[in-house]
């Protein structure tokens, strides 16, 4: 069982930056991959980025070049640095983890990111 808690969301202007954090606790040693998803009102949840145990990162085309996913294993924390934010980035951002053997996924409660003038 993994517990995930997101933080760092807020209201920013287009072109601004935010850094999201996801604190993990519980059965964290079995995690193979962690990532970020987002969901805008009236739309389905979409994948944003993930990073594996080996440090390999992947990004959705919509955020590639603007977002950076990273992980601090000592702090059991996942990060998402978001630069050059656009109105279309407005959504609730969710942290996700995937276990190695069971492939069980865990989700945080989400943090709101709003990009507008």
């Amino acid at each position: 069982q993994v517990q995930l808690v997101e933080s760092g969301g807020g209201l920013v202007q287009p072109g601004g930056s935010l850094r999201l954090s996801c604190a993990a606790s519980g059965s964290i040693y079995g995690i193979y991959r962690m990532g970020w998803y987002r969901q805008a009102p009236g739309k389905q949840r979409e994948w944003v980025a993930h990073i594996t145990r080996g440090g390999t990162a992947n990004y959705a085309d919509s955020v590639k070049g603007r977002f950076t996913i990273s992980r601090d294993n000592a702090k059991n924390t996942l990060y998402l640095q978001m630069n050059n934010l656009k109105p279309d980035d407005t959504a609730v951002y969710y942290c996700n983890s995937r276990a190695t053997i069971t492939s069980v996924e865990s989700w945080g409660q989400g943090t709101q990111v709003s990009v507008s003038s």
Side-chain angles (χ1 to χ4, degrees):
Q1 191 83 4
V2 176
Q3 292 80 47
L4 305 172
V5 180
E6 304 95 335
S7 62
L11 174 63
V12 298
Q13 296 182 350
S17 298
L18 281 175
R19 184 177 178 86
L20 305 183
S21 299
C22 172
S25 61
S27 302
I28 62 175
Y29 300 104
I31 295 176
Y32 163 72
R33 186 182 73 190
M34 297 190 70
W36 292 94
Y37 290 72
R38 66 186 183 185
Q39 186 169 26
K43 296 185 177 181
Q44 63 183 2
R45 186 173 300 184
E46 66 173 339
W47 168 73
V48 175
H50 66 228
I51 185 168
T52 67
R53 175 183 291 176
T56 300
N58 287 277
Y59 301 90
D61 288 340
S62 59
V63 306
K64 189 175 183 180
R66 299 187 297 119
F67 291 10
T68 302
I69 188 171
S70 62
R71 188 173 62 198
D72 187 333
N73 291 330
K75 297 182 178 180
N76 298 323
T77 302
L78 181 74
Y79 301 98
L80 184 68
Q81 178 66 47
M82 305 184 294
N83 298 325
N84 191 24
L85 284 162
K86 304 176 180 180
D88 283 349
D89 295 320
T90 296
V92 176
Y93 283 70
Y94 298 91
C95 181
N96 166 266
S97 70
R98 185 178 179 88
T100 57
I101 304 301
T102 64
S103 296
V104 172
E105 293 189 342
S106 297
W107 295 88
Q109 297 302 304
T111 184
Q112 177 70 50
V113 172
S114 299
V115 185
S116 69
S117 300

